[in-house]
Amino acid sequence: MSSTYLNAWRVAAIILVGLNLRPVLASVPPLLDRLQAAIALSDSAAGLLTALPVLVMGLGALSVAPLRRMMREHHAIAVGVALVMAATACRLWAHDANLMLLTGVIAGLGIAVTQALLPYTIKAQFSSGVSAIMGLYSTAIMGGAAVASVASPVLAERVGWPQALAAWSVPAAAALLCWLLVYRLGAVAPLATDATKAANAMNPTNATKAANAMNPTKATKATKATNAAGQPVTGHSHRWLLAVFFGLGTGAYTLVLAWLPPYYTALGWTPVSAGQLLGAVTVAEIVAGLLVSAAIGRLRDRRVALFTAIGLLTLGLLGLIFAPVLLAWPAAVLAGLGIGALFPLSLIVTMDHASTPAQAGRLASFVQGVGYLIAALFPFVAGVIRQHLSGLRPAWMLMAGICLILFAIAARLRPPHGNGKP
């Protein structure tokens, strides 16, 4: 197998894994009212169905270093996908609140390991086009959420909610098999280094433009700037700034993911319609992710894209606050565009501050670990708000206020090297 085709299959495996990192979370919100009635969950406890997996994702990401010492990256990713598959399958028998929460914890651990190590794997195996492949990967994550949010309530009406939740173990098994086969081939093939060709095989127009816009000269200089101990150039305070930014942006995602469908079922929408609205959010996220993948290589200074994404998210939240029925679909699309751009941009900005694969792994683990710990608070706090204030509008207002903080942080995320010109 030629290096070009092997790289294309590697990108395909990365995308397939990404598609299976969110159905375990996105399949629950459209069915939340039914779950609450079946297993006696309060609103606060219902918020934990999303908050606990995200919390474990954060803790797991911070604990990845020992795992990397015990296992090779692609083996650890396979274990992570296997945990997601097993946890999702076990929901077929999770007729108890504690069991349901336990499956979320196990899935969160699998997602954490996978998400923390994939950026390291991407940067180690591809010499160019890293931003394009990261964009495709993060877009795949959103795509999996879109499919699960739309299909789960339809499946639940036909086969029941436990079967609808457990059904997502099947594509996870397919992703695991693909990952193992591709990296078995890679073990006997020469290491491919032309990520531009691999990205072209998946996205001939957009990925090529993003990959070609990378500047190898500046990357070489950044590598030389690394000190002898191999420590990242990024300072301690900047690492925390990146982590908080990722956490607040991802908090918007977890908040909308967990509570947008219940917000609209409380307004009289059916679970299927509410799931479709969440699907619209995630389709908008996919579109935004693809646009980021296509255009990010042209933007040496990422702040223009960051400001645009935060502005779109803010407009969507204002629609949910002031005209939730009249502006339901436009608000959902605007919020989805903002969230969908913020997620890959946060990862790409993080990768911008890493000069080597080792740095990328350490920085990604820290940023995602701390970030997911922050993001885990959002669905839980919203559940408490709903339980005690009989509505979710204050939660949307709180998130709109947090967008002001995101604007302030984004203003400080200057390019790590150079003057911000392409």
Side-chain angles (χ1 to χ4, degrees):
M1 179 179 290
S2 70
S3 62
T4 299
Y5 284 107
L6 179 58
N7 256 357
W9 276 105
R10 281 174 171 153
V11 175
I14 288 168
I15 291 173
L16 192 55
V17 168
L19 285 168
N20 284 277
L21 295 182
R22 289 297 180 271
V24 70
L25 300 177
S27 59
V28 172
L31 304 176
L32 189 58
D33 292 338
R34 190 175 301 186
L35 263 68
Q36 285 186 273
I39 60 178
L41 279 176
S42 67
D43 289 330
S44 298
L48 291 175
L49 287 174
T50 301
L52 278 180
V54 177
L55 177 68
V56 176
M57 286 159 59
L59 294 174
L62 291 172
S63 305
V64 160
L67 184 60
R68 283 188 57 212
R69 288 193 291 268
M70 293 186 293
M71 304 175 67
R72 296 179 66 182
E73 281 75 20
H74 68 273
H75 289 157
I77 291 170
V79 170
V81 177
L83 287 173
V84 173
M85 177 191 69
T88 308
C90 286
R91 287 186 165 175
L92 184 62
W93 302 281
H95 294 279
D96 175 82
N98 292 328
L99 289 176
M100 182 64 69
L101 292 172
L102 179 61
T103 63
V105 170
I106 295 171
L109 180 60
I111 295 169
V113 172
T114 304
Q115 287 187 163
L117 291 180
L118 258 178
Y120 178 91
T121 302
I122 290 170
K123 194 139 189 172
Q125 293 187 342
F126 300 104
S127 61
S128 63
V130 172
S131 293
I133 296 172
M134 285 295 296
L136 290 171
Y137 158 64
S138 57
T139 300
I141 292 178
M142 301 168 205
V147 174
S149 63
V150 172
S152 293
V154 176
L155 286 173
E157 289 189 350
R158 298 184 179 184
V159 298
W161 67 263
Q163 292 82 357
L165 295 180
W168 301 104
S169 62
V170 176
L176 177 60
L177 179 62
C178 180
W179 183 265
L180 292 174
L181 289 176
V182 167
Y183 279 86
R184 183 181 180 88
L185 290 173
V188 297
L191 181 63
T193 59
D194 191 354
T196 304
K197 294 180 181 178
N200 285 348
M202 304 304 301
N203 192 336
T205 302
N206 295 344
T208 301
K209 292 179 180 178
N212 289 342
M214 301 295 289
N215 191 328
T217 303
K218 290 183 180 179
T220 302
K221 292 179 180 178
T223 302
K224 292 179 179 179
T226 308
N227 63 27
Q231 297 299 315
V233 176
T234 304
H236 181 74
S237 61
H238 214 68
R239 292 169 71 235
W240 277 99
L241 200 66
L242 290 166
V244 171
F245 186 82
F246 180 85
L248 296 180
T250 306
Y253 172 76
T254 60
L255 176 63
V256 171
L257 176 69
W259 290 111
L260 185 69
Y263 183 53
Y264 278 92
T265 54
L267 294 174
W269 290 39
T270 66
V272 171
S273 297
Q276 291 171 345
L277 187 66
L278 182 58
V281 172
T282 47
V283 167
E285 291 170 359
I286 294 170
V287 172
L290 291 173
L291 290 173
V292 168
S293 178
I296 195 62
R298 303 188 187 100
L299 294 175
R300 181 67 180 87
D301 190 338
R302 320 294 197 190
R303 288 177 293 178
V304 174
L306 291 173
F307 291 146
T308 302
I310 299 167
L312 291 170
L313 171 59
T314 304
L315 290 175
L317 290 167
L318 293 176
L320 294 177
I321 294 167
F322 296 110
V325 176
L326 181 63
L327 298 179
W329 294 96
V333 170
L334 287 170
L337 289 172
I339 293 169
L342 269 179
F343 183 73
L345 283 170
S346 298
L347 293 177
I348 290 168
V349 169
T350 297
M351 300 295 278
D352 284 343
H353 289 77
S355 303
T356 68
Q359 289 180 19
R362 289 194 299 269
L363 189 57
S365 296
F366 176 80
V367 168
Q368 291 185 80
V370 174
Y372 282 118
L373 291 179
I374 295 171
L377 296 173
F378 286 62
F380 175 70
V381 170
V384 173
I385 288 173
R386 189 190 193 208
Q387 182 169 325
H388 294 284
L389 299 180
S390 300
L392 285 165
R393 185 172 296 178
W396 308 130
M397 295 173 67
L398 178 62
M399 188 65 237
I402 290 173
C403 285
L404 299 178
I405 301 175
L406 285 171
F407 274 118
I409 296 177
R412 298 185 59 188
L413 295 178
R414 300 178 179 85
H417 306 288
N419 60 5
K421 296 180 180 180

